[in-house]
Amino acid sequence: MKPKIWLSSPHMGGTEQQFVKEAFETNWIAPLGPNVNGFEKDLELFLGNESHVAALSSGTAGLHLGLVLLGVKAGDEVLCQSMTFSATANPITYVGATPIFVDSEKDTWNMSPVLLEEAIKDRIAKGNKPKAIIPVHLYGMPAKMGALKVISNHYKIPILEDAAEALGSSIDGRKCGTFGDISILSFNGNKIITTSGGGALVSANEAVVKDARFLATQARDEAPHYQHSKIGYNYRMSNLCAGVGRGQMEVLPARIAKRREIYDKYFEKLSGKKGIHFLEEPFWYISNRWLTTILIDPAEAGFTREDLRLALEKENIESRPLWKPMHLQPVFEQYPFYGDGTAEKLFQNGLCLPSGSNLESEDLFRIFAVFDEVMR
Ligand SMILES: *Cc1c(COP(=O)(O)O)cnc(C)c1O
C-alpha cells in the first residue's frame, strides 16, 4: 500500500519543541503562563487592527464564549451560515438559542448578504429580532464582509466572525479575524497552523477580551477564596499548547505561501478541463487556500465528484466532499432556513483535495495520475 496522503495534516516548523521544553523547564504546565501570553501577542501583531486576543482550548469554545459575551440567551435567534462545519452552529444551542440558517452566494461560497437581509426582515416581522450573525470564511475564502457589515450596522445585529479556517486570509489588506464585533480562530490539528488543539477569541474591544479570559478561567472574582458571581467555563489554552502555537507563528507566512502554491498547481493542471471548476479569488481578496476545493459538473465532466473521491481513496489518497449544509443535517433540519439551493448544489458537486503544506511534489504526481485516469 502506498503511503497515505492526507487532506491536511499537522506540519511543525522546528522551534515548537523549544517553547514546549522551556515550559517544562520552568514548570509552566498550566492553562496560563509565558507561552499563552506570547502566543496572544504574536497573534495580535499578525492580525493588526488593534486586535486583542484570548487564547482558548478550541475554536468551538471561542464561539460559545462569543455568544455569551454578545448576550445571547435562551429563546434568542442567531443567524448562521448553513454551509459550514457543525462547530459553527453547535454553540448556538449551548446557550439555548435557535439557529436560523442562511444560504451561501456563488462567488465565495459564504453567507449571502441578500438572503441574510431577507432572513432578518422575516424574523423581525415574526417578532423575534436575531441577536447575532455568524458568517464563516470557508476553506480560507473570505466572506463578503463589506456587504455583511452594512447589514449588521443597519439592523444593529453584531457579527460573530468564524475565521477558524481563514488565518492569514484578507480583504483589501485587512485580515480575516478582525471583521467581527467578536471573531474566533481555530488551531485544531487540520488547520493551517495548529497547537494540537486550540482556538482564540479576537476583538478590537479590549474589555470584551478581558471578559473572555475571565469567563474562560471559571469566572473567579478577585478574592483570596474562590468567589463567583457569574457562570464560568474551563476554556483557557494550556501553556504547552501555546508553546506549539508560538513555534507555528514563526512559519505561518511560509505555510500560507505553500498552500497557495498547492492551489496554483491544481489550477495549472486542471483548470480548463471539462466540468472542473475552481473557487477563484474575487478582486482584492486573498484566501489562505487552507483547502483547495473543486466543483465537478457531472454532465460536462462525464464523472461525478464521488467517482473521483473513490478513485483517490483506492490510491490511499484522502479527499472529502464539501461541508454538508447544516439545514440538511438530521440534528438541525427542523430549524428555519433562508436559501436558494446554492449550498446544497455545492455539497453535491464539491470536493476538497489534499492541501497540506507538507505535501511533496511526488504526492501531487500521485494525485494528478488519478485525475488523468478518471478524466480519460
Ligand atoms: C475547525 C472549525 C471550527 C472549530 O474549531 P475547533 O478548534 O476544532 O473547535 C469552527 N468553525 C469552522 C468553520 C471550523 O472549520
Side-chain angles (χ1 to χ4, degrees):
M1 189 70 132
K2 289 181 190 146
K4 177 98 177 177
I5 298 177
W6 298 98
L7 206 58
S8 177
S9 65
H11 185 188
M12 293 297 105
T15 59
E16 293 85 357
Q17 275 177 313
Q18 241 164 274
F19 288 109
V20 174
K21 188 161 166 256
E22 236 170 76
F24 270 82
E25 281 166 3
T26 53
N27 204 31
W28 280 106
I29 317 286
L32 77 168
N35 281 337
V36 175
N37 302 337
F39 185 44
E40 288 176 347
K41 284 267 146 27
D42 290 347
L43 285 165
E44 286 168 0
L45 270 174
F46 181 82
L47 292 171
N49 271 89
E50 294 169 25
S51 296
H52 297 273
V53 173
L56 302 173
S57 54
S58 71
T60 310
L63 287 161
H64 187 187
L65 285 183
L67 290 168
V68 170
L69 289 162
L70 291 174
V72 179
K73 296 199 168 59
D76 287 342
E77 293 187 348
V78 174
L79 296 148
C80 181
Q81 183 165 322
S82 180
M83 184 81 189
T84 186
F85 178 44
S86 64
T88 309
N90 283 336
I92 299 169
T93 69
Y94 302 169
V95 296
T98 302
I100 309 292
F101 293 112
V102 179
D103 211 340
S104 293
E105 43 79 21
K106 291 180 182 71
D107 300 335
T108 70
W109 301 358
N110 294 309
M111 186 182 273
S112 156
V114 175
L115 294 170
L116 172 67
E117 186 158 30
E118 196 181 302
I120 292 173
K121 283 184 178 159
D122 192 55
R123 298 326 289 177
I124 291 175
K126 289 188 163 71
N128 207 352
K129 183 178 160 185
K131 290 289 176 2
I133 304 166
I134 313 184
V136 187
H137 311 295
L138 275 192
Y139 308 114
M141 181 60 72
K144 291 194 168 164
M145 292 313 299
L148 295 177
K149 278 182 82 117
V150 168
I151 296 168
S152 154
N153 290 336
H154 180 77
Y155 291 95
K156 301 199 165 44
I157 307 173
I159 289 181
L160 176 54
E161 176 194 12
D162 183 346
E165 302 178 1
L167 182 60
S169 302
S170 60
I171 303 173
D172 210 358
R174 181 168 173 164
K175 296 260 180 8
C176 288
T178 69
F179 289 102
D181 294 86
I182 296 177
S183 307
I184 72 99
L185 300 168
S186 168
F187 311 108
N188 199 1
N190 59 352
K191 298 288 162 40
I192 193 151
I193 60 165
T194 183
T195 59
S196 92
L201 183 142
V202 185
S203 177
N205 185 337
E206 188 172 9
V208 165
V209 174
K210 271 196 178 149
D211 285 349
R213 293 196 188 105
F214 169 76
L215 292 176
T217 46
Q218 306 289 21
R220 284 178 58 187
D221 295 339
E222 275 189 50
H225 54 277
Y226 283 88
Q227 164 99 7
H228 307 274
S229 45
K230 276 193 172 155
I231 297 293
Y233 305 86
N234 183 5
Y235 278 172
R236 201 74 162 115
M237 181 178 279
S238 114
N239 195 55
L240 291 182
C241 293
V244 178
R246 287 177 86 180
Q248 289 270 279
M249 282 306 285
E250 294 179 358
V251 294
L252 175 58
R255 295 293 181 265
I256 297 165
K258 187 67 202 286
R259 298 236 181 197
R260 287 179 59 81
E261 193 187 309
I262 289 167
Y263 170 86
D264 288 342
K265 287 195 172 143
Y266 279 117
F267 189 82
E268 257 169 53
K269 165 85 187 169
L270 299 167
S271 74
K273 297 279 192 263
K274 254 203 219 143
I276 298 186
H277 304 281
F278 282 81
L279 175 60
E280 293 186 53
E281 283 165 336
F283 203 45
W284 292 126
Y285 281 48
I286 291 181
S287 167
N288 67 9
R289 294 294 182 190
W290 171 55
L291 295 184
T292 293
T293 52
I294 53 172
L295 292 178
I296 293 169
D297 180 337
E300 281 179 46
F303 58 91
T304 65
R305 77 105 207 275
E306 200 53 15
D307 295 333
L308 181 61
R309 192 187 70 77
L310 291 170
L312 288 163
E313 191 174 84
K314 242 168 80 195
E315 290 299 313
N316 210 19
I317 299 165
E318 184 185 28
S319 68
R320 200 168 290 175
L322 301 190
W323 299 123
K324 179 174 180 177
M326 291 305 112
H327 72 277
L328 300 175
Q329 298 284 357
V331 71
F332 288 126
E333 65 193 3
Q334 76 270 31
Y335 295 114
F337 168 64
Y338 294 82
D340 58 12
T342 300
E344 189 165 357
K345 265 197 220 115
L346 291 171
F347 170 61
Q348 274 163 8
N349 294 330
L351 194 68
C352 302
L353 300 173
S355 308
S357 46
N358 46 7
L359 212 63
E360 310 279 353
S361 16
E362 56 201 88
D363 297 330
L364 276 172
F365 287 135
R366 271 178 60 198
I367 296 164
F368 290 161
V370 175
F371 270 95
D372 287 337
E373 194 61 34
V374 173
M375 288 188 306
R376 265 209 308 201

